[in-house]
Amino acid sequence: MSQPIALRLSGITRRFGETLANDDISLSLRRGEVLALLGENGAGKTTLMSILFGHYSADRGTVEVEGRALPPGNPRAAIEAGVGMVHQHFSLAENLTVLENVMTGTERLWRPRAGMAAARRKLMSLAERFALRVDPDRRVGDLSVGEQQRVEILKALYNQARILILDEPTAVLTPPEARHLYQTLRGMARDGVSLIFISHKLHEVMEAADRVVVLRRGRVVAERRPAETSKEELAELMVGRRITRPVRAPATPGDVVVEARNLSVRRRGATGLHDVSFTLRAGETLGIVGVSGNGQSTLGQVMSGVVAPGAGALTILGRRITRADVPALVRAGVGRIAEDRNHEGVVGELTLWENATLERIGSRRFSRLGVIDRAAARDYTQKVIEGFDVRGGGPDHRTQLLSGGNMQKLILGRNLIDAPRVLIAAQPTRGLDEGAIAAVHARLLEARAAGAAVLLISEDLDEVINLADRIRAIVGGRLSPEIEAEEADARKLGLMMAGDWTTEGVRDAV
Amino acid sequence: MELIAILGSEGLWEAVLRIATPLIFGTLGALLCERAGVLNLGIEGIMAFGALIGWLAVYNGAGLWTGLAVAALSGALFGLLHAVLTVPLGLSQHVTGLGITLFASSLAYFIFRLSVQIEGSPPTIRPFQPVELGPIGDIPFLGPVLSSQTAPTYLAIAVAFVMMYVLFRTPLGLAIRMTGENPHAAEAQGVNPVRVRFACIMAGSALMAMGGAFLTLSAFNSFFPTMIQGRGWVCIALVVFASWRPGWALTGALLFALVDAYQLRLQSALEDAIPYQLFLMAPYVAAIAVLAVMARRARVPQALMKPYRRGER
C-alpha cells in the first residue's frame, strides 16, 4: 500500500501502579486502512486507545497524526486533529434527539441561535455518504443499540474525524448488525477514513481487517494480514498458549426433569413466548440459539423463576411451576446463570461471600435464627474460589473488583459446587475472552457429565454446537423443531435463526 | 353560584399573578439547576435569605431594583457554595441542599435580629408599585388585573420565555441539557461540564433568591422569618410537573397559584360549613395528585444527582 501514514504511535508506555498496561508499543496506520487491535481483556488495548484519544497521557512515547505530534492528555486536541472515538459504552444523551447529540459542542457556546438547519443538512449528507441511515429527530433513547452506534459514528464523522477508533464495536450488536457494521467500516475506509477497531473476536478480525496487531500483556506480540494467518494462529498469539475449546463427549440421558408444554408468556417491552414445548433430560444439554431479542431472555427468566409462566404447563423436577418463585427453584436444585451478570448475576457492591451465598442466605447452612453464620459463608466461598479458580479477590473483597471472566466463574461455582440437577445457563460466555470461555465451557460439560440437565441459551453458534446435544432456534418467541448437534453447522443454524424451519435435515420433533 | 362567581372576579386573577410570581422565579431557578444535573434543595433557604437581604438593602436606603439585585447576588453566592460542595467535591445533593436551606434561613433570621430593632409591629418599606399600563388598563377585566401587577411579575414571565429560548434554541442551552443528561458525552464534545454546572447553579440560585425578594419587596412590605412557608418545596415539585420545561413551569406556577387564590376565597365564602384548614391543604393535595399523574411520563435528566468525575464512566 502506498497510502500515506495517517497515525503513528511510537514507544507508548503507561504504568498503572504495579502493572505495565502498555509496554513500548509502536504501530502505524495508513490512510484508508482498517486495522484490528486484537487482544484479551486486560491486554492493554483500551488503555492504548485512551492514550491516543487523550483520555490518559502516556508515561513515555508519542502520538503523531498526519506527521504532527498530539499534545498528551487532551481529548479536544485529538478531536481537532481528526481523531474520533466510538466507545464500547456509548456516550450519548438518551433524552436528546440524534441531531442534538451530534451537534453538542460543535458551535461557539455564545452564538445567539443554534444553526439547526445547517447541522441537519450536514448530518444527512454524512449519513447518505456512509450509508448510516438514521432519523435526526428521533430521541436517542428510542433507538436500537445498532442505531445508537450509528449515531456515535456519525458524531465522530461530524467532527471531521479522519481517523476513527472503535472500542469493541460489535460487543453489543447482533450478528446481522455486526456484519452490517463491517460493511459500513469497509465503505468508510474506501472513502479515505482510517480505522482502528478493538476486538477479541477472531472471526470478525479475520473478516473485517486489512491488518491485525496482536497485543498481549501490554506489548505488541505479532502483526499479521488476515490472508496470511488463521483463527487458530491468532488465538494462540493472543492468549500466549494453545487454547482449545472443549467439546462434549457422548451423553447418556436419564429421566426427563424439565418439561414445558405449550408455554406462553406475555411481556411488556420484551419478546414473550408463544406455545413453547420442550423436554430436558438429566445428563444432556439442550441448546437454544437465536438472534438477541427473540424471547430468549424471557425463556431464561421463566426457567429461573424470575418471571411467571402464563398459559401452558411447566414442570421442573416434578413440580408444577405456576408463579415466579426463585427460592423454591433454588431449594429444589436448579442452578441459574443469569443473562446479564452485572445486573442480575451479582451485586457488585457486595463482597464475594455475600454474592456466593445470597441465594441461600436463609438456609440452615448459612444462618441460624436469622443471624448469618459468617464463618460458614466464608468457608463455602473459599471452596468456590479454589474449586473454580476465581482470581482477583478473596471472600471479603468487593465483587466488582473481579474481571468479567472471574465474576462468571464465581457465579458458576456457587451454582455448580452443590451439583444441581438442572442448570439454566443464559449467555454464559457473553463478553468473556477466549481463556475464560474455555474454562466456562469445561465447567458446563462437567455439570452435564455429573448428571445435570443443562439448558444453554446462547448467541454463539460455535458454543452451542460444541456443548449441546440437541439444538433449537428461538424466533419471535417460538421454538423451532430440534436438530441433533451432529447435524448442525453454522449455515443450518443461521437458517433456523432466520425462521426457516423447513430446510431438509431439520426434522420435526413434536 | 357563588363559587363560580369567584372564578370570574378580577380580584382572584390579580391574586393569581401575585402568588405565582415567587413560584415562577423559584421553579425556573430549580429547573435550570436540574437541567444541568444538580438538584438544589437549598431553594427554601435561598428564598428566605433573598427575601431578607433584598428588604434590608431597601430598608437601609437602597432602591428597589438594587434590593432585587442584591438578593440575586446573595442567591448566586449560596449557589456557589452548593456548587463547590456538589460538583468538584461530589457530595450528596440532598444533604448539601437541605444543609444550605437550614443555614440560609437561620442566617436570614439572625441578620434580621441583629440589624433591625423590633418594637411592636415589624418595620416596613415602600414596596414596588403597580406598573402604569396606559390604555391597556382600560380593557375590561384584563386591564384591572394587569394594572395591579408590579414590574418583577413581568420580569418573571419574561425570564420563563428567555429560558425557553436559551435551553432549546442556542448552543449554550444544548450544552446545558447535554451536561444534565450525560456530562461525559458533553466533555468528549468539548463542553466543560464543571463550568456549565457552576454557572447554572449560580444563575438558578439567583433566580430563587429573587423569588424570595419578591415577597418582601412587592407582595408584602416587611420581613418575617416564616414567610417562605414551603414555597421552595412547591417549586421543586413544580419542576417535575413541568417535565423540566420552562413553559410548563410557568403554567404550573400559575395553576398552583390559581388553586391557592381560589381556596383563600372559598375559606371566607364557606367559613361556617368547612374548617379552613382543609382549604389550606387544597393546593398541596392538588399538587400531589397532579404530580402522581404527570411524574410518570416525565423525562428526568439522566445525570440528575449524579456527580461528575472526569475519566470515570
Side-chain angles (χ1 to χ4, degrees):
Chain A
M1 241 192 262
S2 56
Q3 289 285 356
I5 301 275
L7 172 76
R8 191 193 296 280
L9 301 176
S10 328
I12 299 286
T13 301
R14 170 76 203 225
R15 184 182 282 281
F16 287 110
E18 291 286 287
T19 47
L20 205 51
N22 285 168
D23 184 2
D24 193 24
I25 294 181
S26 300
L27 58 87
S28 60
L29 175 70
R30 290 179 184 279
R31 185 193 295 159
E33 189 182 25
V34 180
L35 176 74
L37 204 55
L38 181 71
E40 292 211 286
N41 296 334
K45 300 167 298 197
T46 302
T47 305
L48 184 64
M49 290 304 108
S50 298
I51 287 170
L52 162 53
F53 195 63
H55 284 315
Y56 305 138
S57 46
D59 298 336
R60 244 177 316 154
T62 54
V63 179
E64 279 173 45
V65 174
E66 284 155 4
R68 276 180 302 146
L70 278 188
N74 184 348
R76 195 71 220 159
I79 293 175
E80 276 159 16
V83 181
M85 183 137 184
V86 175
H87 292 278
Q88 188 179 355
H89 304 287
F90 302 146
S91 213
L92 295 170
E94 293 192 350
N95 281 335
L96 304 188
T97 65
V98 171
L99 184 62
E100 286 174 335
N101 267 282
V102 168
M103 64 185 291
T104 298
T106 57
E107 297 176 297
R108 270 185 312 110
L109 219 49
W110 299 105
R111 241 179 93 141
R113 193 177 171 88
M116 290 282 193
R120 180 189 307 269
R121 275 196 302 279
K122 183 172 170 191
L123 178 65
M124 293 312 280
S125 80
L126 280 171
E128 179 104 358
R129 183 167 144 209
F130 295 105
L132 293 158
R133 210 155 29 78
V134 70
D135 176 355
D137 298 312
R138 287 275 296 279
R139 184 180 158 269
V140 165
D142 295 333
L143 301 179
S144 73
V145 177
E147 289 173 306
Q148 292 189 5
Q149 189 171 56
R150 265 178 248 161
V151 177
E152 277 283 36
I153 295 173
L154 280 169
K155 201 163 83 176
L157 294 172
Y158 190 95
N159 283 318
Q160 261 89 40
R162 292 180 305 280
I163 299 166
L164 196 59
I165 301 158
L166 301 105
D167 189 1
E168 308 232 353
T170 58
V172 291
L173 300 184
T174 60
E177 281 178 326
R179 264 192 300 282
H180 183 253
L181 176 69
Y182 307 146
Q183 283 163 14
T184 308
L185 297 185
R186 301 249 39 123
M188 288 165 63
R190 276 194 297 280
D191 216 356
V193 180
S194 316
L195 298 124
I196 299 182
F197 75 93
I198 298 176
S199 180
H200 61 244
K201 291 185 192 164
L202 299 168
H203 66 92
E204 73 183 35
V205 163
M206 295 290 289
E207 223 171 293
D210 294 320
R211 196 152 55 94
V212 184
V213 169
V214 185
L215 283 191
R216 189 170 75 228
R217 295 194 187 162
R219 320 183 67 136
V220 175
V221 293
E223 201 184 303
R224 295 281 186 279
R225 294 191 177 280
E228 301 158 1
T229 184
S230 64
K231 277 197 209 176
E232 289 69 30
E233 189 199 13
L234 288 178
E236 203 175 326
L237 286 167
M238 178 167 80
V239 184
R241 64 198 147 92
R242 184 159 229 115
I243 287 216
T244 38
R245 293 189 180 186
V247 181
R248 74 198 180 307
T252 44
D255 302 333
V256 171
V257 288
V258 175
E259 181 165 23
R261 281 260 155 264
N262 310 109
L263 203 59
S264 292
V265 179
R266 275 164 196 261
R267 295 298 295 277
R268 246 187 305 169
T271 312
L273 297 178
H274 300 287
D275 201 20
V276 163
S277 301
F278 63 91
T279 58
L280 189 53
R281 291 170 183 276
E284 69 164 1
T285 299
L286 172 64
I288 307 281
V289 295
V291 176
S292 118
N294 270 289
Q296 54 270 73
S297 302
T298 304
L299 180 62
Q301 286 165 341
V302 170
M303 300 300 294
S304 307
V306 179
V307 167
L314 176 63
T315 313
I316 299 179
L317 294 166
R319 285 159 202 262
R320 255 314 275 285
I321 308 294
T322 51
R323 56 198 185 91
D325 188 350
V326 172
L329 279 181
V330 170
R331 273 198 304 274
V334 177
R336 305 160 322 129
I337 298 167
E339 183 177 281
D340 185 339
R341 64 182 155 267
N342 293 306
H343 286 118
E344 295 178 297
V346 297
V347 185
E349 297 290 330
L350 298 186
T351 62
L352 265 69
W353 74 259
E354 286 167 317
N355 272 298
T357 57
L358 198 55
E359 279 182 323
R360 274 160 295 172
I361 199 71
S363 76
R364 280 271 186 79
R365 190 160 161 197
F366 299 121
S367 64
R368 231 163 278 126
L369 301 170
V371 179
I372 294 171
D373 182 351
R374 289 184 177 225
R378 283 205 185 89
D379 283 350
Y380 172 83
T381 308
Q382 194 58 44
K383 266 189 224 140
V384 170
I385 290 174
E386 284 164 15
F388 287 79
D389 190 29
V390 179
R391 294 181 207 178
D396 290 304
H397 285 94
R398 277 192 312 159
T399 309
Q400 67 194 19
L401 298 175
L402 299 185
S403 69
N406 283 304
M407 223 181 253
Q408 197 70 329
K409 286 191 222 164
L410 177 74
I411 295 172
L412 270 169
R414 78 171 178 220
N415 279 300
L416 295 182
I417 202 162
D418 294 327
R421 298 178 60 198
V422 174
L423 180 66
I424 311 299
Q427 318 290 358
T429 59
R430 185 183 271 176
L432 302 187
D433 58 43
E434 276 302 314
I437 290 175
V440 169
H441 283 184
R443 293 302 184 175
L444 293 176
L445 288 173
E446 272 174 37
R448 166 174 166 277
V454 181
L455 182 70
L456 172 66
I457 302 171
S458 177
E459 284 162 29
D460 181 342
L461 302 184
D462 293 338
E463 170 169 296
V464 175
I465 293 173
N466 285 346
L467 301 184
D469 300 294
R470 298 178 288 131
I471 303 175
R472 292 176 153 213
I474 187 164
V475 181
R478 295 174 196 279
L479 280 190
S480 73
E482 70 184 30
I483 61 170
E484 299 290 334
E486 283 77 22
E487 304 165 14
D489 55 39
R491 192 190 62 88
K492 194 176 285 177
L493 291 181
L495 285 174
M496 285 165 64
M497 284 159 72
D500 184 356
W501 298 336
T502 54
T503 319
E504 38 102 33
V506 179
R507 75 179 153 77
D508 202 324
V510 186
Chain B
M1 221 178 119
E2 198 182 1
L3 300 184
I4 310 282
I6 294 174
L7 272 179
S9 70
E10 286 161 8
L12 176 82
W13 292 98
E14 284 172 29
V16 167
L17 283 177
R18 193 175 59 242
I19 295 171
T21 302
L23 298 178
I24 297 170
F25 275 121
T27 308
L28 290 173
L31 187 147
L32 188 60
C33 297
E34 293 185 29
R35 271 289 184 181
V38 179
L39 178 70
N40 190 351
L41 292 183
I43 181 168
E44 183 82 4
I46 292 172
M47 285 178 89
F49 198 85
L52 168 90
I53 206 77
W55 178 86
L56 200 61
V58 177
Y59 182 66
N60 285 313
L64 285 162
W65 287 106
T66 313
L68 200 60
V70 167
L73 184 68
S74 77
L77 287 176
F78 279 111
L80 181 64
L81 176 62
H82 189 60
V84 167
L85 294 175
T86 56
V87 180
L89 298 181
L91 300 184
S92 155
Q93 298 178 7
H94 289 106
V95 175
T96 307
L98 291 175
I100 286 178
T101 280
L102 292 173
F103 172 55
S105 24
S106 312
L107 187 65
Y109 189 43
F110 182 60
I111 293 176
F112 179 64
R113 292 300 301 268
L114 277 188
S115 49
V116 179
Q117 294 291 324
I118 301 178
E119 295 139 0
S121 61
T124 58
I125 56 156
R126 185 182 141 77
F128 277 104
Q129 298 303 307
V131 181
E132 201 48 63
L133 290 173
I136 297 176
D138 299 332
I139 304 171
F141 188 74
L142 200 61
V145 170
L146 291 182
S147 5
S148 64
Q149 304 305 325
T150 61
T153 299
Y154 295 107
L155 179 63
I157 293 168
V159 169
F161 284 100
V162 169
M163 198 181 284
M164 216 188 297
Y165 180 84
V166 170
L167 277 180
F168 295 102
R169 289 281 178 272
T170 67
L172 177 67
L174 185 54
I176 292 170
R177 288 186 290 139
M178 183 58 90
T179 300
E181 297 286 345
N182 186 343
H184 299 283
E187 166 99 68
Q189 296 265 77
V191 172
N192 183 336
V194 173
R195 243 191 262 167
V196 169
R197 286 192 168 173
F198 263 84
C200 287
I201 300 170
M202 289 175 69
S205 303
L207 287 175
M208 295 171 184
M210 286 164 76
F214 177 85
L215 293 173
T216 48
L217 299 182
S218 178
F220 308 100
N221 54 9
S222 58
F223 174 84
F224 46 99
T226 57
M227 72 189 312
I228 304 300
Q229 283 186 319
R231 282 182 176 86
W233 309 136
V234 170
C235 292
I236 295 290
L238 283 173
V239 174
V240 181
F241 166 83
S243 248
W244 291 268
R245 288 170 173 274
W248 280 99
L250 179 61
T251 314
L254 288 169
L255 270 177
F256 185 89
L258 173 63
V259 180
D260 202 16
Y262 190 56
Q263 65 86 13
L264 279 172
R265 280 155 185 78
L266 284 188
Q267 274 183 42
S268 45
L270 300 172
E271 212 166 11
D272 307 324
I274 304 170
Y276 74 94
Q277 287 90 345
L278 285 180
F279 288 110
L280 278 179
M281 277 192 259
Y284 303 96
V285 173
I288 290 171
V290 170
L291 265 187
V293 177
M294 298 292 287
R296 301 173 61 112
R297 58 185 195 97
R299 291 252 160 84
V300 191
Q302 297 281 297
L304 183 58
M305 291 187 279
K306 291 190 188 128
Y308 170 69
R309 294 194 182 89
R310 238 195 118 187
E312 251 175 51
R313 320 208 121 249

